[in-house]
Amino acid sequence: MKFKILSRSDREHTKDRGSDVTKVHRNLDPKLHPFDRQKEYQRALTAAKLDRMFAKPFVGALEGHTDAVSCLAKDPTSLSLILSGSYDGEIRLWNLQRRQLCHKVNAHRGNVSGLVVAPDGSSYLSCSSDKSVRLWDMEGDNQMDADGEPRPLAEYLGDRSFTSVDHHWGKGIIATAGCDLQTWDLTRQAPISTFNWGIEQITQCKYNKVETDLILCCMSDRAVCIYDSRVEQATQKSILSMKTNKLCWNPMEPMTFVCANEDHNLYQFDVRKMDKAQLVFVSHVAAVLDVDYSPTGKEIVSSSFDKTIRLWGTDICNGTSRDVYHTKRMRRVWAAQWSLDNKFIISGSDDYSVRIWKANASAPLKHLYLREKKKLEYNTKLRERFGEFEEIKKINNQRMIPKYIKTAQRKKKVMANSRIRKLKNQQANTKRTVERPTIKKDVIVQNVS
C-alpha cells in the first residue's frame, strides 16, 4: 500500500515578523484557471481607470523672471541644476530638487537667445542679440565687479547678433550661429573658422555627441545643414517645405535627429538617408518652438505656440502624442527640456515662469516599496497587453484639452478630408496616374550636396 503525504516545513510558512508577507503557493496550470484572461482584462480596465485618475503631471513652478523665458539648458554633470534665460537678458540657475534659485545674473543687454553648459559642468556660455557671447562661472562666484555690474570669465564679440551657441563635447571649442556659423577657441577672441552656405541666417547649431566634429544647423530659408569642422565645409543641405525652429540629436542613436517645424509637425531624420523622414509626429495645432529627446532616446518632448507641451514615443509611433500638458495660465512655450534622470520635464513660457512636470503623469513622487513597484509594473504591462481593446483604448487616450485646440483640430481634420477627397476625384476623372502624397517624402523639397 502506498501513501502520498504533503510535507511542508514550518520554517517556510512561519513569519519571523508580523510585517512579513505570508508565502502563498499557487498552481499556474491554465486548466485550473479557466477565467484567467477575463480576470486580467478586468484588472487592466481598473488599471487604466486608476492611471487616468491619478494623472496629475504638474509638479511646481519656478517664478522670478520679469520677462518671457526664451531658452533652457541642462547641466550634463548634475541631475538637479538647470539654467533659464529670458528676453530681458537675465540668466537664472535653479536647483530643481529644492525648487530654489541658486544665483542670477543680468548677462546681456538684449534677449538671451542661447545657453549651453560646458561638458565638465564648471561653466556655461550665453549668447544674445547684443552681438556677444559670454562665459560664466557655474558656481556664481566672482561674477560681479565693485560697481555691481556682471563680470564674465570671458567675452567674445561678433559683428552681428547671435542666435545660438553650443559647446564641443571633447575640446575647448564652441560653435555660434547667426548670419554665419563660426567656431571659436575659448582661449582666443576671434573665430578660428567661419562656415556659410547662402545668405540666410542660421537659427540654431548643435554638436553631435559621438561624431563630435559634425555640426547640425537649421536656417531661416527652410534648410537643414550638416557641417564638418574637420574639412571646414558643409557636407549636406536639405530644404524642407517650411522653416525649422529647433533641432536635437538623439543621445542613443548618433545619426538620428528631430526637427521642430513651422508646419505644426516634428520630423525625425537619419543623416545617412535624407530623402525622406523616418517618423512624423502630428498633434500640435501651431508652430513647434522647441524639442528635446529623453536620455533613453525613445521619447521626445516638444513645446508649441499653441500653449501646450506634448510627449511622443519614437519606438512605437502612430503619429500622435502619448500625452499633452497645459495650464490655464501658461502662454506660448518657448523652451522644453527632458531631465537627465528621465523623470521630469522642464518648460519655459511667455508668462515668465519655469515649470516642472512629471514625464509620466500618473507616476508617484514618493519612495516606493518593492511590492508597490511590482504592482505598478504589473498594471503597466496589463494596459499594454489589452491596450487595443476598445474600452481600455478609449480610457487611455482620453485627455482634457482646451476648447481652442479642439476647434483647431476639427478645422485641420476638415482640411485633410478635403485634400483626400480632391485626390480621389483626380484619380477617378483623369487618365494620368495621380500619386498619393506622402508626408514623409513631401517634407523634403530638395537635397543639395
Side-chain angles (χ1 to χ4, degrees), residues 6 34-35 59 68 162 207 279 290 324 334 344 373 398 404 443 445:
L6 295 177
F35 297 104
V59 177
F162 295 103
Y207 271 108
L279 297 173
D290 199 7
V324 54
W334 293 102
F344 297 99
K373 291 180 181 179
Q398 185 179 7
Y404 68 90
V443 65
V445 177

Side-chain angles (χ1 to χ4, degrees), residues 79 293-300 322 338-345 357-360:
L79 297 178
Y293 273 102
S294 67
T296 60
K298 295 183 178 180
E299 291 183 296
I300 294 173
R322 70 165 176 87
W338 207 300
S339 66
L340 293 178
D341 58 358
N342 202 29
K343 293 182 179 179
F344 297 99
I345 305 294
W357 313 79
K358 290 188 287 187
N360 185 0

Side-chain angles (χ1 to χ4, degrees), residues 13 59 68 100 116-117 141 152 172 186 193 202 223 253 293 306 325-326 407:
H13 295 83
V59 177
Q100 292 179 354
V116 64
V117 182
D141 300 331
L186 294 179
S193 59
I202 300 173
E253 299 177 8
Y293 273 102
D306 61 9
Y325 297 161
H326 61 88
T407 303

Side-chain angles (χ1 to χ4, degrees), residues 2-3 22 28 58 75 80 85 87 115 155 193 207 228 254 258 279 291 315 343 371 375 396 405 424:
K2 292 183 180 180
F3 295 94
T22 305
L28 302 179
F58 182 67
D75 184 355
S80 58
Y87 278 92
L115 279 172
E155 185 175 13
S193 59
Y207 271 108
D228 192 340
V258 64
L279 297 173
V291 63
D315 50 353
K343 293 182 179 179
R371 293 184 66 190
K375 178 62 175 177
N396 287 335
I405 293 184
K424 290 182 178 179

Side-chain angles (χ1 to χ4, degrees), residues 375-431:
K375 178 62 175 177
L376 289 177
E377 292 173 359
Y378 177 63
N379 287 342
T380 303
K381 290 297 182 181
L382 282 178
R383 288 189 290 108
E384 292 177 359
R385 180 180 179 183
F386 295 93
E388 295 303 321
F389 284 76
E390 189 65 31
E391 191 175 9
I392 297 178
K393 187 176 182 179
K394 183 179 179 181
I395 296 173
N396 287 335
N397 295 338
Q398 185 179 7
R399 297 292 184 275
M400 302 296 292
I401 58 176
K403 184 178 179 180
Y404 68 90
I405 293 184
K406 284 189 176 181
T407 303
Q409 287 177 342
R410 197 178 303 115
K411 290 181 179 179
K412 290 184 68 175
K413 188 174 181 179
V414 170
M415 290 187 288
N417 292 335
S418 176
R419 288 192 292 268
I420 294 174
R421 188 170 59 252
K422 179 180 178 181
L423 177 65
K424 290 182 178 179
N425 291 338
Q426 289 177 345
Q427 292 174 342
N429 297 286
T430 58
K431 293 183 179 180

